[in-house]
Amino acid sequence: MTVIDLGEVRDEPEREAPPPRPPRAVGSPLRVALALAFLLATVAAAAPVSARVALVVPARLGAEAFPHGDRLYVVEPAEGEPQGTVEVRAYALPERAPAEAGPPDPLWRTRLVAAGRFWHVQTGPGTVLFSITGDQDDGQTVALDDGTGRERWRQPGHPWSDPTGILLMQTGGAQGGTVRSVDPASGRALWSVPTPPEAATYTLRGGRVERIVLAPATGRVEVRDPRSGALVHAADLGLGEASGHAVVAHDLLLVVRPPQGVVTAYGLDGLRRRWEARVPMVEHVNECGELLCAPGGNRFVALDPATGAQRWTGERWFGVLATRGDRLLAVAPGPLGDRLGVLDAATGRQVADLGSWQLLPWYPDERLLTVRPTVAGGGLVVAELDVAAGRAGVLDVLREASGNCRSRADTVVCRLRTGELGVWRYPG
């Protein structure tokens, strides 16, 4: 297989280049942080990567690449087939640099008819699940056999698979939709419940789905068991009268009322009111470590989830993207795009300014990998954000890369200037 020779890795100069245009968001069935691709950080100290693995994978115009686990899936328009037909190929990601030159051989390849863009990959027991957008609906999910690439089933909606083997499929729309539990092997529905137009929210612990929360704009809120669909709690909280919307965070149902600047918290167990807080200019609420963050304007307020008491205010920040220990990764506007800083979770004090980068989509507890254009000579710099230490450490300089990057765990995939796909692995 061809190995990309990127030359010696050096520290980048301190002055910054304008960040690249971010790639299209890689969506999430939960429509959460996996859709955020912000621009971040200046380079801190760099060191040569001793265990980097690099290879080139053939790809044509319009190809999409999805690293997942120990595999790379490439989806591209199929040659000689009607429009809407794609070829899907699965490649094994090597643990060490290939010994032989030439393109890698796929583990399998298959052709599918699918109208829409492939945007996300998940895996279930023996299956790989591809989410496909739709022009007029929620799109669909296609399940392929992980060993052969054979299509097992397809159906409307977005999937969510948890480590216990539960596979939930959700559809939506202006008239509402459904959330249903599906057998991963056959696609057979095990149970199904209707959802409001606002869709359903899943509460997670360690990646495991603990509850399904249905919070319509008007009517009663429902909490359901994800293994049976059974109703566990229900209450009419007067959401229609509140002129607001509901958010789930830290085992709370939070009713956010922007016109009144009020956030009201209800416990998910019993849906009883816990507290109410005045938060001027509040727009939304989300988890930020052990706290709740309520963004509004060019600032956000950190709240205690137990009492609603205000802990501190981040005056220069839009909000928080990730948490590592007692440090928060916060985003703010900057002259060359959005910038990132590291805040102390206890006080909100800024402890580092990381500058401007393009943060690649990540999952909770995964490495935070970023790219930005090199100052001179073309290509991209790859860095890993160490939020706890307040620095961005350079991993590599990809001279042949042109952009359109994705990452997962320790793998980065970018389009090359030649049109092919470059794959780089950075074992931790």
Side-chain angles (χ1 to χ4, degrees):
M1 304 177 193
T2 303
V3 178
I4 302 174
D5 181 9
L6 300 175
E8 182 182 358
V9 180
R10 301 182 180 90
D11 290 3
E12 281 290 293
E14 286 298 321
R15 69 183 181 90
E16 294 181 311
R21 181 180 180 182
R24 289 171 290 182
V26 181
S28 164
L30 303 179
R31 297 175 176 89
V32 291
L34 292 183
L36 296 176
F38 291 98
L39 303 176
L40 320 175
T42 44
V43 178
V49 178
S50 59
R52 180 191 64 188
V53 179
L55 67 149
V56 173
V57 174
R60 293 191 296 274
L61 185 66
E64 300 278 4
F66 302 94
H68 191 90
D70 61 355
R71 297 253 180 114
L72 173 71
Y73 300 98
V74 178
V75 181
E76 64 183 14
E79 286 188 314
E81 298 286 352
Q83 186 175 1
T85 303
V86 299
E87 180 177 84
V88 181
R89 300 191 301 274
Y91 295 91
L93 291 171
E95 295 295 330
R96 57 184 59 86
E100 299 180 0
D105 294 323
L107 299 172
W108 49 257
R109 64 177 73 212
T110 191
R111 294 195 171 189
L112 304 172
V113 176
R117 174 177 171 259
F118 286 65
W119 61 269
H120 190 59
V121 170
Q122 292 184 59
T123 54
T127 60
V128 54
L129 308 173
F130 291 90
S131 298
I132 306 171
T133 61
D135 293 334
Q136 305 297 328
D137 53 31
D138 275 346
Q140 61 179 324
T141 295
V142 176
L144 303 183
D145 187 280
D146 196 36
T148 65
R150 178 182 60 86
E151 182 176 333
R152 286 192 176 184
W153 51 265
R154 66 171 66 197
Q155 54 185 271
H158 299 296
W160 180 262
S161 177
D162 86 355
T164 67
I166 289 179
L167 175 59
L168 299 175
M169 297 288 298
Q170 187 174 164
T171 61
Q175 304 304 314
T178 63
V179 61
R180 58 194 184 279
S181 179
V182 169
D183 172 45
S186 66
R188 178 175 59 89
L190 305 177
W191 55 259
S192 176
V193 296
T195 61
E198 294 76 19
T201 300
Y202 309 143
T203 66
L204 308 176
R205 193 178 302 277
R208 179 177 180 269
V209 180
E210 286 197 327
R211 303 178 182 91
I212 301 173
V213 182
L214 309 178
T218 59
R220 73 175 189 169
V221 173
E222 297 182 353
V223 179
R224 292 184 174 270
D225 180 86
R227 280 139 197 86
S228 65
L231 183 64
V232 179
H233 303 289
D236 190 340
L237 305 181
L239 294 183
E241 302 169 6
S243 301
H245 59 276
V247 178
V248 175
H250 283 311
D251 293 327
L252 298 171
L253 179 75
L254 302 161
V255 179
V256 183
R257 291 176 279 173
Q260 293 82 16
V262 172
V263 178
T264 308
Y266 300 85
L268 287 179
D269 290 329
L271 295 173
R272 289 180 289 273
R273 178 168 159 165
R274 298 276 184 86
W275 50 260
E276 186 167 275
R278 295 279 176 183
V279 187
M281 300 179 63
V282 65
E283 298 170 359
H284 189 68
V285 177
N286 59 275
E287 292 185 9
C288 49
E290 300 299 318
L291 302 173
L292 294 169
C293 287
N298 293 334
R299 62 194 288 274
F300 72 89
V301 175
L303 303 176
D304 184 332
T307 65
Q310 181 174 323
R311 292 278 188 86
W312 46 264
T313 301
E315 293 293 348
R316 296 177 48 243
W317 307 98
F318 282 157
V320 170
L321 300 181
T323 304
R324 296 293 185 269
D326 61 353
R327 295 289 187 261
L328 307 176
L329 185 64
V331 63
L336 299 176
D338 289 339
R339 299 178 65 87
L340 259 180
V342 178
L343 309 181
D344 176 70
T347 64
R349 178 179 61 89
Q350 179 180 322
V351 297
D353 185 348
L354 300 179
S356 296
W357 290 79
Q358 177 186 310
L359 179 61
L360 300 177
W362 76 99
Y363 279 66
D365 301 323
E366 283 190 348
R367 300 165 74 179
L368 298 173
L369 300 178
T370 64
V371 297
R372 75 161 198 186
T374 59
V375 172
L380 300 172
V381 180
V382 181
E384 179 176 3
L385 300 184
D386 186 338
V387 177
R391 66 184 292 271
V394 173
L395 294 177
D396 218 338
V397 180
L398 311 178
R399 294 295 180 189
E400 291 85 355
S402 63
N404 194 22
C405 299
R406 278 196 175 98
S407 71
R408 185 72 196 270
D410 64 355
T411 303
V412 175
V413 182
C414 300
R415 180 73 65 175
L416 303 178
R417 295 176 184 177
T418 60
E420 299 168 299
L421 296 170
V423 184
W424 298 267
R425 305 195 77 185
Y426 306 100

